């Protein structure tokens, strides 16, 4: 996929008229995706710093180009999801922005002092975003179909670009730290970190809505994620491939899905 990465600069019609429950009219579904969306801006800035840290070490011109495009794509994602964060803040979820401000202070420190770990964590989180991107393209009726039409193109575009650049951080990591140990360790922390962050944010928003202690809402939420038509259903096998010694992100072929979705996103 490298060498053909295009930095698109879309402008989505996201504004204050976005309904509070923009995913199927459901509080849990919406706030789970709000949680992901709101963590993207500081997270993706971390990814870009992690990869750019090694720009002098990488000599392969194709990978250098891909690193630049990776920064461009992630920069655009941060910008668009930050607009969503502003809407969430205006809707009363102010602590999301406070949390992001803390992350923006702490994470550059991690980049500076633990650059190899930061890169491994980035590659691991990119594997997770690539899994979600594949699910989004494979099952639009679960992911983007129930979205408000103003939100739908944002997630479709983001999914396409995550699938396009899924190998960039991994290839840089392979060049500077080829061992499988760090990669596996980083994945464990990536999963723990992402679960903790999305769980905290989802709970916080449900708390603001006075819906935190509704068991049925949580049960429906679990089904939304892991049920028969769940967002994350049947991602386990692809996830576990990460732990193989000879794994490479391109082993999971997204070519057919991208052939369908690239033209739609371009439109
Ligand atoms: Fe992204
Ligand atoms: Fe990404």
């Amino acid at each position: 996929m490298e060498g053909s990465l295009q930095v698109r600069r879309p402008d989505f019609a996201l504004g204050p008229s976005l309904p509070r429950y923009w995913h199927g009219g459901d509080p849990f579904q919406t706030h789970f995706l709000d949680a992901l969306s709101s963590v993207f801006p500081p997270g993706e800035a971390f990814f870009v710093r992690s990869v750019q840290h090694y720009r002098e070490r990488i000599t392969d011109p194709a990978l250098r180009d891909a690193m630049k495009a990776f920064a461009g794509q992630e920069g655009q994602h941060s910008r668009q999801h930050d607009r969503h964060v502003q809407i969430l803040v205006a809707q009363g979820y102010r602590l999301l922005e406070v949390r992001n401000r803390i992350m923006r202070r702490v994470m550059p420190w991690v980049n500076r002092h633990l650059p190899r770990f930061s890169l491994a964590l980035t590659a691991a989180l990119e594997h997770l975003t690539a899994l979600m991107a594949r699910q989004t393209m494979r099952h639009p009726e679960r992911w983007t179909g129930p979205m408000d039409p103003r939100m739908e193109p944002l997630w479709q575009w983001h999914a396409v670009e995550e699938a396009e650049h899924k190998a960039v951080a991994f290839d840089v990591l392979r060049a500077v730290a080829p061992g499988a140990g760090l990669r596996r360790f980083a994945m464990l922390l990536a999963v723990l970190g992402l679960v903790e962050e999305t769980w905290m944010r989802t709970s916080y928003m449900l708390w603001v809505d006075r819906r935190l202690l509704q068991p049925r809402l949580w049960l429906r939420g679990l089904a939304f994620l892991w049920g028969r038509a769940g967002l994350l259903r049947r991602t386990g096998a692809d996830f576990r491939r990460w732990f193989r010694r000879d794994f490479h992100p391109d082993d999971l072929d997204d070519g057919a899905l991208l052939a369908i979705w690239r033209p739609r996103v371009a439109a």
Side-chain angles (χ1 to χ4, degrees), residues 2 29 81 116 252:
E2 281 160 23
Q29 295 181 19
H81 284 277
R116 262 165 38 125
L252 298 166

Side-chain angles (χ1 to χ4, degrees), residues 9 19 28 79 88 111 210 244 263:
R9 290 182 167 74
F28 182 95
R79 203 157 303 150
L88 290 167
N111 283 120
R210 301 181 188 277
R244 291 188 193 171

Side-chain angles (χ1 to χ4, degrees), residues 70 74 126 129 162 165:
F70 173 81
E74 294 292 30
E126 284 284 293
T129 53
E162 288 307 317
H165 73 222

Side-chain angles (χ1 to χ4, degrees), residues 182-203:
L182 174 64
R183 171 152 62 85
R184 290 173 181 154
F185 172 66
M187 181 54 88
L188 297 179
L189 290 192
V191 169
L192 282 177
L194 190 63
V195 168
E196 180 261 353
E197 201 63 37
T198 45
W199 183 74
M200 290 263 295
R201 287 174 190 244
T202 305
S203 302

Side-chain angles (χ1 to χ4, degrees), residues 40 44 47 73-74 77-78 81 126 129 158 162 165:
F40 283 141
E44 291 174 320
F47 296 173
Q73 287 189 336
E74 294 292 30
H77 301 170
S78 290
H81 284 277
E126 284 284 293
T129 53
H158 198 160
E162 288 307 317
H165 73 222

